[in-house]
Amino acid sequence: MATRINNKTVIVESHKLSVFLDYTTKQMRGTLDLNSLVTENSELKKYFKEAEQPLIVNFSGTIPSDDFMSQPHQPLNFDWEMNVTFQDKKFKVILKTTLQHIEEGTLFSCRLNAMGNISTDNIGLNKVIPDINKTIEIQFVQFILRI
């Protein structure tokens, strides 16, 4: 994730994104504990430490493809509507998404690359850090293995 605070770029990242894909419905559900985020920004560190718990972001969305796991395919590009829940707030986020086939030997998978923006109003961060930009840019990459 990236945003600007006091006109300085701030990068925040986590390697603890949890994602589950239902192969039948193509619905993907995930969670991210904001306490797993790593940043050098002292204001954000303080927010994560002092914020009302839990700081769990839940999200879900359906991949608009009937069958992307059983055969090779060209990259699929789509606007992915995600339903997001954070504390008592629910909102939607549209992510520009590419789903690309990867085949190496006996492995068969896809790489899902999604990016978009979340309003700091939606998560209430603008009230805690007044000088934060109005949006947070998010991006995640997830490999989906065929089982």
Side-chain angles (χ1 to χ4, degrees):
M1 292 180 264
T3 192
R4 295 184 65 80
I5 298 175
N6 294 321
N7 292 321
K8 294 180 185 169
T9 300
V10 175
I11 305 293
V12 180
E13 64 181 38
S14 175
H15 297 281
K16 296 188 177 185
L17 178 68
S18 173
V19 179
F20 173 78
L21 171 66
D22 181 323
Y23 289 94
T24 304
T25 65
K26 307 302 186 275
Q27 183 180 46
M28 185 175 279
R29 295 184 314 272
T31 60
L32 176 64
D33 183 347
L34 296 186
N35 285 315
S36 73
L37 296 176
V38 177
T39 182
E40 295 299 317
N41 181 274
S42 60
E43 290 175 281
L44 286 174
K45 282 182 183 180
K46 182 179 176 185
Y47 167 73
F48 297 138
K49 184 177 179 181
E50 297 175 357
E52 178 184 327
Q53 299 296 324
L55 291 177
I56 304 294
V57 176
N58 292 294
F59 58 92
S60 64
T62 302
I63 296 176
S65 174
D66 291 335
D67 185 14
F68 62 90
M69 291 302 295
S70 69
Q71 58 190 351
H73 59 81
Q74 294 298 313
L76 303 172
N77 297 302
F78 54 95
D79 290 338
W80 194 16
E81 183 177 277
M82 299 296 289
N83 297 305
V84 180
T85 304
F86 176 65
Q87 293 177 334
D88 293 331
K89 301 169 183 80
K90 293 183 180 191
F91 53 94
K92 293 187 184 297
V93 174
I94 304 295
L95 302 176
K96 297 284 184 195
T97 305
T98 301
L99 188 62
Q100 185 168 349
H101 173 74
I102 298 170
E103 191 168 3
E104 292 185 20
T106 59
L107 294 178
F108 187 100
S109 63
C110 288
R111 182 180 69 213
L112 181 80
N113 187 353
M115 63 183 71
N117 294 313
I118 293 178
S119 167
T120 55
D121 289 339
N122 284 343
I123 57 176
L125 202 52
N126 60 331
K127 294 175 183 154
V128 179
I129 305 172
D131 295 325
I132 195 167
N133 237 22
K134 292 184 185 284
T135 59
I136 297 172
E137 297 174 25
I138 59 170
Q139 179 176 7
F140 71 89
V141 175
Q142 183 69 39
F143 287 90
I144 303 170
L145 301 177
R146 185 175 82 181
I147 57 173

